[in-house]
Amino acid sequence: MRKKVLFICTHNAIRSHIAEAFLNNLKGDRYDAYSAGTDPTMVDPNAIKVMEEAGIDISGHRSKSVDEYNDEDFDLVVTVCDSAKEACPFFPGGKKQDHRSLRDPPELVEEGMEPQEAFRVIRDEIREWVITEF
């Protein structure tokens, strides 16, 4: 039986979608991954673009609120940014909770990195994390 995993980020715009997509794509035989946000906005077009480069289409994804999953149970709930951990320190339907502080691509851009490169760096970090930790 596959394990259900929920990735939570603040806006459900970048990191949580990338994690969801990689887990479903790379380990979909063992996991069903979902993503949500504590303050959802929209999926970032740059995230869609860099995932397309990796051969994964997330153009049909939409940002969702954690409230959409209130009545569901998950084997694992992972917050992927510090502000989401603060806003959602406990998810009622999570059998196990974990936290992974992933950098936000716009932060790298502010440090001088080109936008597409910043998104690629984070995409690749998340891919490696999914491969090694799940």
Side-chain angles (χ1 to χ4, degrees), residues 7 9 40 48 54-56 61-62 75-76 79 110-111 121 125:
F7 295 103
C9 199
I48 294 170
I56 300 173
H61 284 207
R62 66 178 178 84
D75 296 291
L76 176 62
T79 49
E110 288 175 12
E111 295 171 7
V121 165
E125 286 179 9

Side-chain angles (χ1 to χ4, degrees), residues 3-9 12 15-17 19-20 23-24 31-38 64-80 88 90-99 129 134:
K3 293 184 177 188
K4 282 178 67 176
V5 178
L6 176 62
F7 295 103
I8 300 174
C9 199
N12 191 218
R15 295 164 285 183
S16 50
H17 280 284
E20 172 191 3
L23 190 57
N24 282 330
Y31 295 95
D32 284 320
Y34 304 85
S35 67
T38 57
K64 300 164 293 299
S65 170
V66 292
D67 295 339
E68 290 189 36
Y69 296 107
N70 278 343
D71 296 330
E72 292 195 42
D73 292 326
F74 291 90
D75 296 291
L76 176 62
V77 175
V78 184
T79 49
V80 294
C88 188
F90 172 76
F91 186 82
K95 293 177 185 170
K96 182 179 176 194
Q97 298 225 171
D98 199 1
H99 175 67
W129 170 54
F134 289 88

